[in-house]
Amino acid sequence: MRRVPMSHTHHHHDHDSKFFIPQDCGYSDKAVRLAENPINFGRMDNAHGVAENTGTCGESLAIYFTVDDDGIIDAIQFYTEGCIATRACGCAATILATHRSLDYAAKICERDMLEFLEQFPDDHHHCIMLAVGALHDAVASARHSAAEPGA
């Protein structure tokens, strides 16, 4: 009876976790892990592709990446001050695009994101679309800058 539920236990890394994520709100464990400790989180200088989009919810998400000489995305970051759903989606989009061609990244879609995230609340699908849109716009921006003379 005196056992403390997992959601209330405090671990040493909780001080930098801004979010309390109820486990039963439609997020997979994977989505929760990505939101709490996002891979590829941060800003990037001198990116070849960059886009910042604002979703229907008012959240903003930026994606930055560089491409190698073969046109493969070799480094990618995302930044948001948004909700856990936006963080999980930004993280998922960057993971799916890492070490992929621009053509591949341009075709990443909502279904790919849902498969990767395993389970995601229906009322936050706009966050998936925000991340996909930012990724596609970053690809377009990389193509545009590559097409400029002297770039």
Side-chain angles (χ1 to χ4, degrees):
M1 273 317 271
R2 291 176 56 228
R3 223 174 105 223
V4 179
M6 282 304 285
S7 59
H8 295 292
T9 357
H10 292 285
H11 300 289
H12 63 277
H13 65 273
D14 278 1
H15 67 274
D16 59 7
S17 177
K18 300 191 294 201
F19 306 104
F20 170 70
I21 305 170
Q23 296 288 338
D24 58 350
C25 285
Y27 293 95
S28 66
D29 289 345
K30 183 180 191 179
V32 170
R33 280 196 314 274
L34 293 176
E36 287 181 332
N37 298 295
I39 298 163
N40 304 324
F41 184 79
R43 293 189 170 99
M44 183 187 289
D45 293 326
N46 305 318
H48 299 132
V50 60
E52 181 169 2
N53 290 20
T54 302
T56 54
C57 54
E59 302 276 15
S60 290
L61 175 75
I63 289 188
Y64 316 79
F65 64 77
T66 56
V67 291
D68 66 15
D69 293 339
D70 297 321
I72 303 298
I73 294 172
D74 58 359
I76 188 165
Q77 299 269 89
F78 79 97
Y79 186 80
T80 181
E81 293 177 359
C83 67
I84 59 151
T86 306
R87 286 166 62 106
C89 292
C91 192
T94 61
I95 291 169
L96 288 170
T98 301
H99 305 305
R100 299 293 191 164
S101 68
L102 293 180
D103 287 345
Y104 182 97
K107 292 186 180 113
I108 291 171
C109 64
E110 182 179 14
R111 190 182 69 241
D112 300 325
M113 294 278 286
L114 282 168
E115 284 175 12
F116 182 80
L117 290 164
E118 295 169 358
Q119 188 185 349
F120 213 72
D122 289 343
D123 60 344
H124 280 87
H125 277 219
H126 60 270
C127 300
I128 291 176
M129 298 317 296
L130 170 60
V132 168
L135 178 61
H136 292 177
D137 288 357
V139 168
S141 117
R143 287 183 166 147
H144 179 74
S145 58
E148 284 173 359

